Amino acid sequence: MSQAANPAGNDGGTTRRDFLLYASAGLGAVGTALAVWPFLDSMNPAKDVMALAVIEVDLSPIAVGQAITVTWRGKPVFVRHRTQDEIDQARSVSMSALKDPQPDEERAPRPEWLVQIGICTHLGCIPKGQKPSDPKGDYNGWFCVCHGSHYDTSGRIRKGPAPTNMVVPQYAFLDDTTIQIGEE
Amino acid sequence: MSSTPNPVWSNRAIKWVDRRMPIFTLMYNELVVYPAPRNLNYWWNFGSLAGIALVILIFSGIFLAMYYVPHEDMAFASIERIMRDVNYGWLIRFIHMNTVSLFFLCVYIHIFRGMYYGSYKAPRELLWGIGVIIYLVMVGTAFLGYVLPWGQMSFWAATVITSLVTPIPWVGEDLAIWLWGGFGVNNATLQRFFSLHYLFPMVIFALVFLHLWALHTTKSNNPLGVEVKKKADTLPFHPYYTMKDAFGLGVALIALAFFVFFAPNYFNHAINYVQADPMVTPEHIVPEWYFLPFYAILRAVPDKLGGVVLMFLSIAIWLALPWLDTSKVRSGRFRPLFKWFFWLLVIDFCILTWLGAMPAEGAYVTMGQWATAYYFAHFILILPLLGWFEKTKPVPESISAAVTAGHDKEAAA
């Protein structure tokens, strides 16, 4: 076997046979990778799931100080009609005190309305703080009971393991009392 | 070392098969005359017990799958149907649920037994490593299975655990969406979890055979940590250890039956009998008891990525154990200092278990941090240093020497 049987044998150097071996193995590897991709991609969200989910929310029944939770793409969205106190608290914080610095003006272009995805950025629990009886944490906003993250009245992370503020989804005011959440 | 001659089969059917595929000879050599050290104590029962637990789980799981419906609208109700309407469905499900606890208990004892008696040391590093991988696949399988009843704890455990990938830089978010098949835990998640929960036990089963292959190549370690040197050091596996294992199995099955019949939900959480609600997170998300130490480590770190990394490292570090332990002496019996540190590690592990069930606030967090620090210190500081500083006791020259002439030596030790 081996060297002696190699007709192109030129004592151990690279041969055409080596080239053919590497080329076929390489092609086989690429082919296998291509064949695996459809299976991996099949686990991504299906087209019906990806179909744009856009919802409209009527803000008119939400009084000052009240909050509602709506469902968008299977996730809870917190819509809060903030009191002047809450707005002042959110806007008076210095950026250096924040773990994930972001001005409240950016998170709530219309200060009385705060719209955010109500999912703790730590490990995906839904923070408490929507109901008047809920614990609101040390910063009067939301408190995640799973692992103890405290959010302020702007939904920004202030204390605990969550790395970032609660996410503000893409939304737009259609008129003064209606918002549309989702793209377009 | 003894090597018994291959058996001569008198039954003609057995002889016919064995000539073409020597499966009977294999079983005879590995299960009947297999030379096991003569001094194995009851801590050596837990490997085979874990194997039997795996078989019970696979068997009961096959029957549950005949009635279970992996769909977000029907999963919860199908479990209730199994409990109320399917003949003996309640029994099969309670056996399946409680055997998981038996399985993990056996495996934890098996792992700590290996740590005390140095069963991971050369030439058993691969045997040990395959075992660690089996444990990792077990963790995955148990998690997947816990999601299937689609109760509140199922849903939120799935959310928290799949979210562990989100802090991975750049790809984390996309990876989570890929795992979910949606923007959060949803029906697609449940269906793939069912598919994988059926697959993984088969993978474990195959890995167990690799584990046994490595075991029967290097042979069993023993309480003295001295290699088998002559035939007098061993006993044939059958009947000596088949009997000893059978006795242990009897005790374990009585304990299992106690929980199945008298406290079937002892290890379960009441809130998991409330159907999954993606809009309400339960007050306290507590994993099953066998995950608590690692959950405590996850929560001890105030940084999201750091917590996840440390939790995985806390298990992965076992893979490096054969190289972290620098002591030449295998068994803890001859290591006067190691003995203490071993039991400190066991206590630390129990404290972590307890902390994992406590709320993540105040003193619990601080205690969790100290307990986590000690856990890692044991592996990366204490074990490597002990090998250099510890003055070990004399190791007997052979197993039989210790058994026969060693009574006074044992008494003096």
Side-chain angles (χ1 to χ4, degrees), chain A residues 59-145:
Chain A
L59 302 179
S60 55
I62 313 170
V64 175
Q66 280 188 337
I68 63 162
T69 304
V70 296
T71 311
W72 173 65
R73 287 185 173 177
K75 297 174 180 184
V77 174
F78 292 171
V79 181
R80 183 166 200 91
H81 196 167
R82 298 193 295 184
T83 62
Q84 194 55 47
D85 271 358
E86 288 167 346
I87 297 169
D88 293 343
Q89 279 174 29
R91 305 220 154 171
S92 59
V93 181
S94 88
M95 284 299 116
S96 58
L98 297 175
K99 190 172 177 182
D100 178 17
Q102 195 182 15
D104 184 62
E105 288 80 356
E106 207 175 279
R107 295 179 59 79
R110 297 200 190 189
E112 65 275 29
W113 293 107
L114 178 65
V115 180
Q116 57 186 347
I117 296 176
I119 291 182
C120 179
T121 56
H122 181 224
L123 292 174
C125 295
I126 299 174
K128 297 269 174 189
Q130 285 294 87
K131 285 187 231 155
S133 58
D134 280 351
K136 290 175 183 297
D138 294 354
Y139 295 88
N140 196 30
W142 288 266
F143 175 65
C144 184
V145 294

Side-chain angles (χ1 to χ4, degrees), chain A residues 40-46 49-50 71 73-76 99 121-126 128 145-148 160-161 163, chain B residues 156 159-160 163-164 166 174 177-178 181-183 192 278-283 285 295 298-299 301-304 360-361:
Chain A
L40 290 181
D41 195 38
S42 75
M43 290 176 71
N44 272 318
V49 178
M50 287 302 286
T71 311
R73 287 185 173 177
K75 297 174 180 184
K99 190 172 177 182
T121 56
H122 181 224
L123 292 174
C125 295
I126 299 174
K128 297 269 174 189
V145 294
C146 288
H147 305 100
Chain B
W156 291 99
T159 299
V160 169
S163 296
L164 290 178
T166 55
D174 291 335
I177 289 174
W178 178 72
F183 299 105
R192 66 190 52 184
M279 291 298 129
V280 181
T281 306
E283 287 291 330
I285 296 191
Y295 195 62
L298 169 75
R299 300 195 304 182
V301 188
D303 175 75
K304 185 173 166 183
E361 55 199 30

